[in-house]
Amino acid sequence: MQLVEDVVSMKDEVAQWRRTLHADPELLFDVHNTAAFVAEKLKSFGCDEVVTGIGRTGVVGIIHGRPGGNGPAIGLRADMDALPINEITGVPWASRTPGKMHACGHDGHTAMLLGAARHLAATRNFTGSVAVIFQPAEEGGGGGREMVNDGMMERFGITKVFGMHNLPGLPVGEFAICKGPIMAATDIFDVTITGRGGHAAMPHQTIDPIVAGSAVVTALQSIASRNADPLASVVVSVTKFIAGSAYNVIPDKVEMAGTVRTLSPEMRDMAETRIGEIVRSVAAAHGAEGSFNYIRNYPVTFNHADETDFAADIAESVAGEGKVERQQPPTMGGEDFSFMLEARPGAFIFMGNGDTASLHHPAYDFNDDAIPVGVSYWVKLAEKALAA
Ligand SMILES: [Zn+2]
Ligand SMILES: [Zn+2]
């Protein structure tokens, strides 16, 4: 492994920041303490500009390179928000707020990017500018979209963006990436099946929405099995099915909801169209009425080819030969870094978190041993991308 030397010596301090953030998890856009911590640190490092309130509670630090050097700006992005989970790790730095927890490692992402910012601000061994981007609301609120819509890319002249996420199960010191789709589009839908309720002993006098709704759930399985190309990817999961309140009453309606995951615009359009057709026609076949609402949430996280090669080469220069998987299979999870990758070319990479509990698990904790690896990746990436 080829770590950046003074990054190794700052590991304990970065781990301390990480644990401070871990103990005080905040959700979605309400990351006020975290954003204040980040902004205070960036100012203390001597960043040339520290701007808060971008995309509501996002923070951007700007670090200019060598005086007189002229070059583009690149964006390095971390996320700051936690999850509504009750932590069970029992570690001394565990969440002090019941029901909130850093179970996705965003505490580690934020701390590592702060470590990189400190090194880059102290050494300035590059031309152009580095924008360190700290976004709120990755876990469902679309904080990345908000920052892009707030004009972040134009305001700071950002030409390329890079993101990183820890990955449990991948050894510490290893990376994984792929070109094209690396994470899925994450859409959601709501369905209402309206029938006519009545006495459960006289079903012939009712239109039973539970029987109709059950047929809809079953028919939705045919989108993946019969409508999709067997070599393409689509997930349609019904995750809510709410109806009825008594043993002897057939209710008036069923409310359902679920998620759709796809890796291409074609599959996304197909899934949306087919869900509508199935809901309406299967409900009608039962004499009921089906209505649905489809919400396009995060788009596909799409890695651009040249930037992916670049990121993988940087990762290899840190981790060593054979430690970077360049053909990582995409996951059907989502990421709102996807909005930044729609706005600018760039790449999103996974970094090993070792043998820990999985992401979003109440026993998960970010692995501090990965800190020097992640910080070295950021530093080398910025210095190489902006080399004179
Ligand atoms: Zn997450
Ligand atoms: Zn995450």
Side-chain angles (χ1 to χ4, degrees):
M1 221 176 327
Q2 288 282 320
L3 300 169
V4 175
E5 214 169 290
D6 84 279
V7 164
V8 177
S9 62
M10 71 161 93
K11 181 201 162 187
D12 290 346
E13 199 180 350
V14 176
Q16 202 48 54
W17 301 340
R18 203 281 290 180
R19 293 172 183 196
T20 300
L21 295 169
H22 189 92
D24 185 19
E26 298 177 291
L27 303 184
L28 296 168
F29 288 97
D30 290 324
V31 289
H32 301 285
N33 294 346
T34 310
F37 181 92
V38 165
E40 189 270 315
K41 283 275 176 275
L42 293 177
K43 283 177 192 155
S44 78
F45 303 154
C47 286
D48 298 283
E49 252 182 286
V50 178
V51 185
T52 58
I54 299 182
R56 289 156 72 175
T57 41
V59 182
V60 176
I62 300 295
I63 306 162
H64 296 310
R66 276 188 287 276
N70 223 341
I74 61 158
L76 314 179
R77 170 275 200 176
D79 35 17
M80 299 189 285
D81 58 319
L83 284 155
I85 293 176
N86 251 322
E87 179 160 357
I88 61 165
T89 61
V91 294
W93 53 90
S95 168
R96 290 194 299 259
T97 310
K100 295 184 189 177
M101 175 192 176
H102 268 295
C104 206
H106 299 182
D107 50 341
H109 302 164
T110 295
M112 288 190 298
L113 189 55
L114 283 175
R118 187 169 86 175
H119 177 93
L120 292 168
T123 53
R124 307 204 183 229
N125 189 23
F126 55 93
T127 62
S129 306
V130 175
V132 284
I133 302 166
F134 298 85
Q135 76 151 83
E138 194 289 317
E139 300 284 3
R145 172 174 48 203
E146 295 286 314
M147 291 186 90
V148 170
N149 289 346
D150 229 352
M152 173 180 73
M153 299 300 181
E154 299 76 14
R155 178 170 175 178
F156 302 110
I158 295 168
T159 56
K160 292 182 181 190
V161 283
F162 295 90
M164 169 165 49
H165 206 293
N166 77 94
L167 187 63
L170 185 68
V172 170
E174 298 192 15
F175 291 87
I177 194 168
C178 64
K179 290 179 190 174
I182 185 165
M183 295 187 83
T186 62
D187 299 337
I188 53 177
F189 62 87
D190 291 286
V191 169
T192 303
I193 308 292
T194 307
R196 187 174 66 238
H199 202 297
M202 295 155 209
H204 59 292
Q205 293 174 358
T206 72
I207 296 172
D208 188 344
I210 292 182
V211 172
S214 302
V216 168
V217 174
T218 305
L220 289 175
Q221 310 311 310
S222 69
I223 295 174
S225 67
R226 299 292 91 172
N227 300 137
D229 182 326
L231 298 179
S233 300
V234 60
V235 177
V236 180
S237 290
V238 175
T239 55
K240 271 202 249 178
F241 192 103
I242 302 163
S245 58
Y247 288 107
N248 56 358
V249 178
I250 290 171
D252 273 325
K253 63 177 182 180
V254 169
E255 309 268 13
M256 283 188 246
T259 185
V260 173
R261 307 296 172 102
T262 50
L263 295 176
S264 71
E266 295 76 28
M267 293 298 280
R268 197 180 197 188
D269 291 344
M270 184 277 283
E272 179 175 0
T273 303
R274 285 298 292 148
I275 290 172
E277 289 169 353
I278 287 169
V279 165
R280 281 187 292 269
S281 58
V282 173
H286 288 75
E289 196 184 319
S291 64
F292 98 119
N293 185 31
Y294 191 94
I295 298 165
R296 292 191 169 219
N297 202 14
Y298 296 173
V300 171
T301 303
F302 190 93
N303 275 343
H304 300 250
D306 291 350
E307 287 71 23
T308 302
D309 282 336
F310 177 74
D313 290 346
I314 296 293
E316 197 171 279
S317 78
V318 174
E321 213 172 308
K323 301 290 186 188
V324 180
E325 172 57 65
R326 290 170 186 257
Q327 286 173 331
Q328 171 78 1
T331 94
M332 299 310 274
E335 237 307 329
D336 94 329
F337 185 60
S338 51
F339 290 105
M340 297 192 195
L341 285 176
E342 280 192 336
R344 293 291 183 272
F348 186 72
I349 197 165
F350 291 117
M351 180 192 69
N353 200 53
D355 186 19
T356 63
S358 63
L359 298 172
H360 295 203
H361 189 280
Y364 168 87
D365 194 24
F366 182 83
N367 192 334
D368 287 332
D369 288 341
I371 287 173
V373 182
V375 179
S376 294
Y377 171 78
W378 280 140
V379 166
K380 287 194 178 188
L381 188 148
E383 290 179 349
K384 186 82 188 275
L386 299 171

